[in-house]
Amino acid sequence: MTFARLDHISDLDTLPRMPAWVTSARAETLEDVAFLSGAALNHLHVVLGRAEVPQALLRDRLALRAAEACVAFFGRSERVGELRDAVHLLRPGDLPGPAGETFLVWRRAVERSISIKSLGRALPAFESGQIATWLDAGRGAPVTRAAMALEAVLTEAPRADVSALILADTAIAQALGWDQLVPLLAAGLKRADLRKRGDDLRLACHRALVSSAVEVVRLSADLAPRAAHLKAVAPKLRAKGAGDAVEMLLTRDAVAPSTLPLPDRAARRLCERLVALGAVRELTGRDTFRLYGL
């Protein structure tokens, strides 16, 4: 992801925290909420510019968070654990189901640099020209552009909530000069917000952005030292293919041992070794069909 690098502060032990006045202010008017969302987005931009933040992993985990929100919009009960299972435990020929497919759509949207072609791969139900038209609907500041894109999609395709939210996040990324999408709005919006229009929708998007930016900054601060620790213990791993396995763990929300570039038994032993070293966590709490991640 392309951000202005801030190497001159890379020696700090922690990432800069979101200012307390952003998180504690009680704003009601569109103007005041827009001011807070601008401050939150600026701070997020700074945090995402830090070299120690594992960008691909962060986007993948945010894709999971966005998928969970969208699944709830549909009235389904699947949460993070079920969504991970639906995608990571798929066997050849299996279908992921509606919830798993929602997660896969978000994952496809965040894994490549933004382009009409890559968005077309993530959203195959829509023609590339239509996607470009919706993105062009937005004008002005980042969140305003996102709200306008969101409204444009949902006006023409009222049931395309996931596509609309992906394109709204894309509008934010483009406005800020980011070359990859960062899922922000879905987790902060309510189902009822998606039926709003005009200033009401803009207000909802600004509020969602504030809450989501706070969470993304928190998650970045959590993942950065975990990623650093995994990199630090990597030289201790002797298994052939361990380096590629570590790279997978540094870029994905979760992995099943069977997907690592090692024989099954060696992959399980590697994951157990990394857990013992405090470098990764077992995410399911199960004895079988386990998943691992930072």
Side-chain angles (χ1 to χ4, degrees):
M1 184 176 298
T2 301
F3 296 100
R5 289 294 173 192
L6 302 173
D7 296 331
H8 62 288
I9 56 174
S10 61
D11 58 339
L12 295 181
D13 292 333
T14 60
L15 298 176
R17 296 181 180 180
M18 185 72 73
W21 58 266
V22 173
T23 58
S24 62
R26 297 177 60 86
E28 299 297 333
T29 68
L30 177 58
E31 180 182 28
D32 289 342
V33 177
F35 175 78
L36 292 178
S37 77
L41 199 54
N42 179 71
H43 186 84
L44 177 61
H45 184 82
V46 170
V47 169
L48 293 180
R50 294 288 291 265
E52 59 265 45
V53 176
Q55 306 287 350
L57 170 57
L58 176 66
R59 292 194 305 273
D60 201 33
R61 191 150 293 176
L62 291 175
L64 174 63
R65 178 171 167 259
E68 183 184 34
C70 290
V71 165
F73 291 162
F74 306 149
R76 301 185 64 91
S77 61
E78 290 92 344
R79 293 297 178 260
V80 165
E82 290 89 348
L83 290 170
R84 281 181 174 138
D85 284 354
V87 169
H88 294 292
L89 300 183
L90 276 178
R91 295 180 178 180
D94 286 350
L95 297 175
E101 182 58 32
T102 298
F103 184 20
L104 285 173
V105 168
W106 276 102
R107 292 190 82 199
R108 288 192 288 265
V110 304
E111 67 186 5
R112 292 184 174 89
S113 297
I114 293 171
S115 69
I116 298 301
K117 185 176 181 179
S118 65
L119 290 168
R121 291 195 197 99
L123 308 173
F126 300 106
E127 297 290 338
S128 296
Q130 182 64 79
I131 291 172
T133 297
W134 282 331
L135 282 177
D136 288 342
R139 294 290 185 273
V143 182
T144 298
R145 288 176 64 171
M148 293 174 72
L150 187 61
E151 182 170 346
V153 178
L154 293 176
T155 297
E156 295 187 40
R159 296 185 179 181
D161 294 352
V162 174
S163 299
L165 288 163
I166 286 172
L167 294 179
D169 281 330
T170 300
I172 290 176
Q174 289 180 321
L176 293 169
W178 300 348
D179 61 7
Q180 287 181 283
L181 182 158
V182 179
L184 294 173
L185 288 173
L189 290 170
K190 299 179 176 63
R191 171 70 175 176
D193 291 331
L194 299 182
R195 304 300 165 243
K196 295 175 179 177
R197 297 293 181 265
D199 285 350
D200 289 339
L201 180 58
R202 281 204 294 152
L203 181 62
C205 287
H206 281 298
R207 284 179 169 154
L209 194 283
V210 173
S211 64
S212 192
V214 170
E215 174 59 20
V216 176
V217 169
R218 184 207 63 78
L219 181 58
S220 299
D222 178 63
L223 290 177
R226 292 178 183 276
H229 182 51
L230 177 55
K231 291 176 183 177
V233 304
K236 300 178 182 179
L237 307 173
R238 303 300 181 203
K240 185 177 181 180
D244 291 336
V246 166
E247 183 61 26
M248 290 175 67
L249 287 160
L250 285 169
T251 56
R252 302 184 187 183
D253 163 70
V255 300
S258 60
T259 65
L260 297 177
L262 293 88
D264 285 348
R265 184 174 296 180
R268 290 195 297 272
R269 285 201 301 265
L270 176 67
C271 290
E272 291 166 3
R273 170 72 169 150
L274 289 170
V275 170
L277 290 169
V280 302
R281 297 174 293 166
E282 200 288 308
L283 301 172
T284 70
R286 297 186 297 243
D287 294 329
T288 58
F289 300 105
R290 290 180 161 186
L291 298 174
Y292 296 86
L294 268 67

